[in-house]
Amino acid sequence: MLLLNHTPMAGFELTPSQPAHLEPGVGAPSHCSAEPARYPDKENADPQKVAFLLHKQWTLYSVSPLYKFSSADLKDYARMLGVFIAAEKQKGLAVDMNGELGVRVAMSGLPELRSSEQDPAAVLVQLSLRSSVSPKNSEEKLIWSGWFCCVAGDDLLEDLPENFTCLPLFLVNGAESYTAIVGSWFQKTFDCCFRRLAISPLNLTWMAAMWTGCKVENNKAAMELLFSVPHLPQPLNISYAIHPEDAKALWDTVQKTPGEITQEEVDVFMECLYSHFHRHFKIHLSATKLVEVSTGIASAHCDGIIKFLQSQYLIGVLMLLTELAISQIQ
Amino acid sequence: MQRRRSSKHSKQPLQVHHSNQTDLSTWRKGGTVGTEKSAQNHQSLSDQKNDDEQDSLEQALSYFVKSLPPEGFDVLLDVALSGKLADTVNTRLLKSLIPASAIPESSIVSSVSWFCVSKCSSNIQLLFLRWLITMFDFIDHKEGVHALYGIFFSFLNDEKLCPYICHVLFLLTRKENGESSFGMQPHLQALLSLYKLFCPELVSITLPQKMKTYFKNADGPWKAAISAVRQRNLAKSAVPQPLLLGTAQPRSRKRKWNTQLIVPASSANAQHFLVGGKMSRVDSYGANRAFPVEQLQTFPQLLQNIHRLEFPSQMGSVLTNPLLLHYMNCSKDESVYLRLYYWMGQTLQEECTWCVVDNNQYEEEFKGFLETVYKAECFLQEGFPSCEEFLYRSLPLWDGVSCRSQILQLITWIPLSTFSEMKSQLCDPLAQLFFTSSLYFKCSVLESLKELLQNWLNWHVVQLDSESDSQFSSLNTTLSGLVNGVAELINFVGRISTAALHLEKSHTFLLHFILDFYETVCDIYPKYKLPLLIMPPAGVFYPALLSMDSVNLNQLCYIMDFSSCLNFEFWVYKSEIEISAFSPHVRQR
């Protein structure tokens, strides 16, 4: 019995009769279907440019469309945000810093993080702290970064009028106090709404299945699933680690059509893992709650926390997350 | 990831009590545990070990709801110290033994006997000693415990237990006990100093004068937690735990920053200082500068500046500003509606108190927000699409209690167009709640459905007026849709009313609301010009006819009288509609 925490608000469900078409970036990389509106180097976002996004924990938010946001005015926005942060600091709401020089805001575009020209370019916001005595020798320490992006957001994009910018996914790494300040500024200025994006166990199983099927060279990282058993005197966490080769072999036997995944295949895959565990430990994992999935490509936690581990599949994972964010907005 | 996991595991201290409050009541076996059951526990050690463990665990767990009455200690200490269960369970058991009032001496004595037998592991023995030290003050009579002095003394040899034994002895020592001992460790010194105090002649070694603190208060945090639990149990009131829906997110205690329940104040878009800043230098001589929205106070001002008014930076603020609502009504700009749609939709979904865990503490704020939305809808005389979608999504999960009046009010503004498609989302949960709730809830639902019907009919009349000079009779298609929708609603109300009258045995109050609804129904043709005539069903008609209250009879007579007068004229009108449906060129009379 699979315990699904089913939220009608955010759903990423596919009925068994609808196969999901995997984009080449996530599924089998060798299948490169030529689609006309495909961004040229979607499959491999330039590794150097996106390296700073890897191996960091990002907290996920969904953002409703931004009104009158223009990517040409990023410098002005950065300046206004800097002023806002300074004002908030004086109110005593921000984290107490060394007291001296203050926070510098930098906003830039990340055009490589999208799947086609129709997607708006991603926007990166970085807060750094100037922490030196002499202004000349300013060393800046990055204290907070957040980026908006939209990868294959066609569902939302097609109906929107001109002056709305759709960047439904927001990822943030840094102190919560700064997230609050930057988020409030965006909400006030562009009339948008930020909401934490949780990932349901159903979506986590999809991610587990999809990411297992991806080919990664020199993959030493085991596929790990973390389950939580609540409502016990002491909450119990079960960590189930599977050798990546074995997991991939299992998935290859389950998946019928390369490049396509159905709900049934995901269910069969998870059932196999559960029954293997049960044979050894006599615990029915299907009755517990899946809380975290980590593979060599990425790791995702149900509270809406993601970590990217491979630049090769970054776009694919972002596409999945964008879809989750959009379903939370609509 | 590593970081996260370790922080999870460190959240250990006595979480037992906080998380157990209501959930383990499912484990509870009825009644309190008597002494014969504890005797059974001792006897059945040899047979059916598994069942026994299960029983004792269940008995043990049945006490977890609050701090323990005195009789519970007997059983639980036996269970914990007899070594039948695993160490982790015993640890948890011991740690949760918090007395509501006092600990009976007999339980201590029997547990010391278990202690001596050493059936449990040495860790548990240690933990028991620590527990004893912490709870020493709660033991009611200590004569028996004092009598066990010698037993404790004999354990001094054990290195691991020694410090704690000493502490116990320290607590127990009175003048009668005097014995010499060995070693200069602090705990022993403390004991010896006490001995020296009582029997200086037996203690031959000299003790240093300086060391005063002998036993570190190792279990300080434990004691603090215990006092917290006891305080909480004294002032306890039953707080219903919310049903866990969806994925639980660890929200911190303070309110999250992205909450938008407080409708923002109208303020001009900050971007004007940016982009407009460049422009206004050019325009400062022109008359096209935007009127600052904060200065909009009166209706004449709105009329004068309507051509250069801009919406505030956060659309949500129009909800509390009637002038801006007027302006929004006249605006043809789609982005205005879209902004409001997203903002309201996201806020409603995010803050819904019964769909999201952790939100039910903010129910008052959410109620206020729903009130604001309702007032705006009444002002505009139409519903918001985001509000309607929210209702369709959240009604199936609604418990009928949270924000009841606000939700029932918002239902009255659901437009007819979506009703036919979404009927099951609205009618099924409403019917479920209707049949299982109180009389007053039933009446409230009936009243809101009556208002819903009235709103639809009013809308139809407005449409009629506005389309009275339209060329084609598109009126027909909307008319049939409207008639069908209205008929569906009335039939639904008829069905639930019939059943409700059975359930409530034709209660007068309920009958009044039902007949009120049918009064509106019989007004459909004469007042609202809709060719529809539906009589109350038999299940409503006969109870009303046979009721003993004049109010209901009066209402029934009114309905019957009206209907009989209408009949002829109604059929003529209806046939005209049908003719014109086939030939679009025939104009309506």
Side-chain angles (χ1 to χ4, degrees):
Chain A
M1 182 193 75
L2 194 63
L3 184 76
L4 295 178
N5 284 329
H6 182 82
T7 335
M9 309 291 177
F12 177 70
E13 294 162 84
L14 286 144
T15 58
S17 55
Q18 290 175 14
H21 288 271
L22 266 195
E23 303 306 326
V26 179
S30 53
H31 291 246
C32 189
S33 58
E35 278 193 0
R38 209 39 72 180
Y39 201 64
D41 42 319
K42 173 196 89 79
E43 280 188 19
N44 293 314
D46 191 354
Q48 282 154 347
K49 288 207 186 127
V50 298
F52 71 100
L53 298 174
L54 302 179
H55 303 290
K56 262 192 194 154
Q57 251 185 26
W58 299 99
T59 307
L60 299 172
Y61 286 82
S62 71
V63 185
S64 60
L66 302 161
Y67 180 64
K68 283 200 176 153
F69 177 85
S70 148
S71 45
D73 293 327
L74 289 182
K75 289 222 170 0
D76 292 318
Y77 295 150
R79 191 173 33 88
M80 288 162 68
L81 180 55
V83 168
F84 185 75
I85 293 178
E88 286 293 314
K89 251 180 64 188
Q90 279 175 358
K91 271 200 246 174
L93 294 175
V95 174
D96 177 52
M97 304 188 296
N98 311 12
E100 349 151 39
L101 296 164
V103 175
R104 190 181 84 87
V105 179
M107 279 203 211
S108 54
L110 294 169
E112 51 277 343
L113 287 178
R114 51 181 161 173
S115 67
S116 66
E117 284 292 342
Q118 282 152 353
D119 291 333
V123 174
L124 173 68
V125 182
Q126 284 175 314
L127 300 182
S128 34
L129 184 59
R130 279 191 223 111
S131 62
S132 75
V133 177
S134 66
K136 270 181 264 177
N137 184 21
S138 53
E139 271 179 21
E140 289 190 358
K141 193 177 79 144
L142 184 66
I143 51 173
W144 184 94
S145 40
W147 44 295
F148 298 84
C149 79
C150 176
V151 180
D154 308 317
D155 293 338
L156 202 55
L157 285 174
E158 49 197 19
D159 294 325
L160 284 184
E162 282 298 309
N163 39 15
F164 281 95
T165 310
C166 172
L167 288 166
L169 187 63
F170 180 61
L171 303 95
V172 63
N173 172 296
E176 174 79 12
S177 52
Y178 286 117
T179 312
I181 297 178
V182 175
S184 323
W185 182 82
F186 271 94
Q187 284 187 163
K188 283 200 183 87
T189 317
F190 303 110
D191 206 8
C192 55
C193 290
F194 284 73
R195 290 173 65 192
R196 278 291 294 264
L197 181 65
I199 308 178
S200 69
L202 180 67
N203 295 333
L204 284 175
T205 59
W206 269 85
M207 288 178 187
M210 286 166 78
W211 297 345
T212 308
C214 297
K215 211 181 338 189
V216 184
E217 302 89 29
N218 302 328
N219 187 16
K220 301 285 194 306
M223 174 187 168
E224 217 175 304
L225 303 170
L226 189 67
F227 297 86
S228 140
V229 189
H231 306 306
L232 287 184
Q234 180 180 356
L236 181 65
N237 289 323
I238 302 173
S239 171
Y240 182 13
I242 306 150
H243 196 270
E245 302 293 335
D246 296 339
K248 182 151 192 343
L250 174 64
W251 176 246
D252 287 339
T253 59
V254 172
Q255 188 182 26
K256 298 186 191 64
T257 329
E260 268 184 31
I261 297 185
T262 64
Q263 178 67 49
E264 287 152 338
E265 288 168 2
V266 175
D267 288 340
V268 167
F269 179 66
M270 296 307 292
E271 264 311 305
C272 294
L273 295 176
Y274 292 158
S275 56
H276 179 79
F277 193 84
H278 181 253
R279 204 179 311 130
H280 289 277
F281 297 102
K282 300 280 177 271
I283 294 180
H284 288 284
L285 285 176
S286 52
T288 62
K289 180 181 164 192
L290 178 58
V291 156
E292 192 178 339
V293 167
S294 14
T295 63
I297 294 186
S299 80
H301 189 274
C302 67
D303 291 335
I305 302 176
I306 194 106
K307 196 191 266 194
F308 305 105
L309 301 169
Q310 291 275 333
S311 60
Q312 188 184 4
Y313 295 104
L314 182 62
I315 301 288
V317 177
L318 284 175
M319 198 181 306
L320 190 55
L321 295 174
T322 308
E323 206 170 329
L324 290 181
I326 290 178
S327 65
Q328 191 167 272
I329 295 172
Q330 285 180 325
Chain B
M1 248 187 332
Q2 279 301 321
R3 266 175 284 143
R4 230 183 308 125
R5 226 180 280 149
S6 60
S7 72
K8 251 193 194 137
H9 288 315
S10 69
K11 275 197 213 124
Q12 300 250 338
L14 292 179
Q15 239 181 350
V16 183
H17 312 288
H18 302 282
S19 58
N20 273 349
Q21 289 300 319
T22 51
D23 308 301
L24 280 178
S25 54
T26 56
W27 283 87
R28 183 196 278 282
K29 280 190 170 175
T32 53
V33 177
T35 45
E36 70 262 31
K37 273 205 174 165
S38 55
Q40 263 179 2
N41 271 342
H42 291 297
Q43 280 171 11
S44 52
L45 267 174
S46 48
D47 37 83
Q48 287 161 4
K49 193 159 187 277
N50 281 343
D51 278 7
D52 204 36
E53 279 173 52
Q54 182 74 359
D55 278 346
S56 42
L57 181 59
E58 283 185 38
Q59 282 168 13
L61 289 174
S62 72
Y63 280 108
F64 277 5
V65 184
K66 48 187 183 290
S67 56
L68 280 173
E71 51 271 14
F73 283 93
D74 220 346
V75 178
L76 290 177
L77 280 171
D78 285 344
V79 170
L81 292 171
S82 55
K84 275 187 282 184
L85 303 170
D87 256 3
T88 42
V89 183
N90 289 335
T91 313
R92 283 287 119 202
L93 265 178
L94 279 173
K95 281 189 175 168
S96 65
L97 292 175
I98 298 176
S101 49
I103 305 179
E105 189 188 20
S106 52
S107 57
I108 299 290
V109 172
S110 66
S111 50
V112 172
S113 74
W114 279 111
F115 180 80
C116 297
V117 171
S118 299
K119 278 247 165 186
C120 53
S121 71
S122 52
N123 285 334
I124 299 296
Q125 286 179 324
L126 204 76
L127 190 61
F128 170 70
L129 286 174
R130 285 172 59 198
W131 178 84
L132 186 61
I133 293 165
T134 315
M135 300 293 181
F136 195 80
D137 297 322
F138 293 114
I139 304 176
D140 49 3
H141 308 291
K142 299 201 180 60
E143 315 320 302
V145 187
H146 280 293
L148 298 171
Y149 193 92
I151 296 181
F152 285 123
F153 205 85
S154 66
F155 278 94
L156 276 174
N157 290 318
D158 187 344
E159 272 176 287
K160 228 168 104 181
L161 297 175
C162 192
Y164 300 99
I165 294 280
C166 288
H167 199 162
V168 173
L169 291 175
F170 186 91
L171 291 167
L172 283 176
T173 300
R174 291 184 297 192
K175 198 166 189 283
E176 291 81 348
N177 312 110
E179 281 282 349
S180 70
S181 189
F182 44 83
M184 293 309 287
Q185 293 162 336
H187 41 269
L188 291 172
Q189 281 182 6
L191 202 54
L192 284 174
S193 67
L194 200 56
Y195 290 145
K196 193 150 188 178
L197 198 61
F198 289 133
C199 300
E201 62 274 15
L202 289 176
V203 181
S204 49
I205 44 177
T206 50
L207 297 161
Q209 296 297 317
K210 274 186 260 170
M211 290 178 57
K212 289 296 173 194
T213 57
Y214 297 111
F215 298 107
K216 68 177 165 76
N217 199 3
D219 295 311
W222 195 352
K223 278 199 160 144
I226 287 164
S227 60
V229 171
R230 293 191 84 216
Q231 262 198 340
R232 200 162 45 83
N233 280 319
L234 285 172
K236 196 175 159 190
S237 57
V239 174
Q241 291 287 330
L243 192 61
L244 281 176
L245 293 166
T247 50
Q249 296 186 12
R251 301 254 169 80
S252 59
R253 278 293 161 96
K254 61 183 193 307
R255 201 70 176 101
K256 49 191 198 296
W257 59 269
N258 53 342
T259 181
Q260 305 238 42
L261 272 185
I262 317 291
V263 174
S266 305
S267 65
N269 201 333
Q271 292 194 60
H272 281 295
F273 299 118
L274 152 70
V275 178
K278 297 178 201 148
M279 288 200 313
S280 70
R281 256 176 272 125
V282 176
D283 260 23
S284 55
Y285 305 112
N288 270 353
R289 261 198 331 205
F291 184 81
V293 92
E294 298 98 337
Q295 290 181 18
L296 187 64
Q297 301 289 341
T298 65
F299 195 69
Q301 260 182 339
L302 170 69
L303 293 176
Q304 282 165 13
N305 296 301
I306 201 163
H307 54 287
R308 56 191 184 118
L309 194 60
E310 290 226 355
F311 280 104
S313 61
Q314 285 183 284
M315 267 316 276
S317 55
V318 303
L319 283 188
T320 47
N321 192 333
L323 296 169
L324 285 177
L325 280 176
H326 275 304
Y327 185 48
M328 192 178 82
N329 229 353
C330 325
S331 164
K332 295 272 182 262
D333 189 3
E334 197 196 336
S335 53
V336 166
Y337 298 104
L338 260 182
R339 282 168 68 187
L340 191 60
Y341 169 79
Y342 281 120
W343 173 80
M344 200 187 291
Q346 294 291 287
T347 308
L348 284 170
Q349 280 183 36
E350 181 76 359
E351 306 292 340
C352 179
T353 51
W354 60 89
C355 293
V356 181
V357 183
D358 290 345
N359 267 355
N360 60 340
Q361 37 185 323
Y362 302 112
E363 189 166 323
E364 287 306 314
E365 294 174 14
F366 191 57
K367 269 191 205 171
F369 183 71
L370 292 177
E371 281 281 349
T372 313
V373 172
Y374 175 65
K375 284 192 193 124
E377 285 185 328
C378 289
F379 186 86
L380 294 172
Q381 287 291 299
E382 68 177 352
F384 293 115
S386 46
C387 184
E388 171 201 331
E389 277 176 22
F390 163 70
L391 284 173
Y392 285 137
R393 281 181 184 180
S394 60
L395 272 176
L397 301 169
W398 190 40
D399 57 358
V401 173
S402 330
C403 313
R404 175 193 293 182
S405 51
Q406 287 79 18
I407 293 291
L408 289 177
Q409 280 171 340
L410 288 173
I411 287 177
T412 63
W413 286 111
I414 292 180
L416 179 65
S417 46
T418 54
F419 177 76
S420 316
E421 303 154 24
M422 306 299 282
K423 208 169 21 135
S424 56
Q425 303 275 77
L426 175 66
C427 293
D428 294 347
L430 214 51
Q432 256 185 340
L433 288 168
F434 186 81
F435 292 131
T436 53
S437 56
S438 69
L439 179 69
Y440 302 102
F441 184 81
K442 292 185 168 75
C443 296
S444 318
V445 170
L446 286 167
E447 182 168 0
S448 70
L449 289 176
K450 182 191 78 164
E451 281 181 40
L452 175 65
L453 179 64
Q454 279 173 340
N455 287 339
W456 286 354
L457 295 169
N458 286 331
W459 173 82
H460 165 68
V461 170
V462 168
Q463 291 284 82
L464 263 183
D465 288 341
S466 64
E467 286 186 29
S468 56
D469 46 7
S470 72
Q471 291 284 329
F472 30 44
S473 41
S474 59
L475 198 62
N476 284 326
T477 46
T478 54
L479 199 61
S480 63
L482 179 63
V483 166
N484 285 334
V486 170
E488 278 171 1
L489 178 67
I490 297 173
N491 290 332
F492 171 67
V493 173
R495 283 197 307 273
I496 61 176
S497 310
T498 312
L501 282 172
H502 279 301
L503 286 172
E504 300 287 343
K505 300 190 183 33
S506 310
H507 197 283
T508 312
F509 200 51
L510 180 67
L511 198 49
H512 169 80
F513 279 91
I514 297 175
L515 291 173
D516 224 2
F517 180 84
Y518 278 100
E519 275 183 39
T520 310
V521 169
C522 77
D523 273 343
I524 288 180
Y525 175 63
K527 209 160 137 190
Y528 302 102
K529 299 285 176 260
L530 198 65
L532 184 66
L533 179 66
I534 296 184
M535 296 300 294
V540 170
F541 183 84
Y542 288 110
L545 187 65
L546 301 171
S547 88
M548 303 296 281
D549 290 286
S550 49
V551 174
N552 296 333
L553 276 174
N554 185 32
Q555 284 175 302
L556 186 64
C557 292
Y558 176 82
I559 293 172
M560 298 313 298
D561 183 43
F562 231 115
S563 315
S564 60
C565 295
L566 292 177
N567 252 321
F568 178 67
E569 208 185 308
F570 167 76
W571 290 113
V572 169
Y573 185 66
K574 190 163 187 290
S575 52
E576 273 201 3
I577 298 287
E578 278 164 4
I579 291 170
S580 56
F582 286 110
S583 44
H585 314 296
V586 174
R587 284 183 66 94
Q588 292 285 320
R589 175 157 62 93

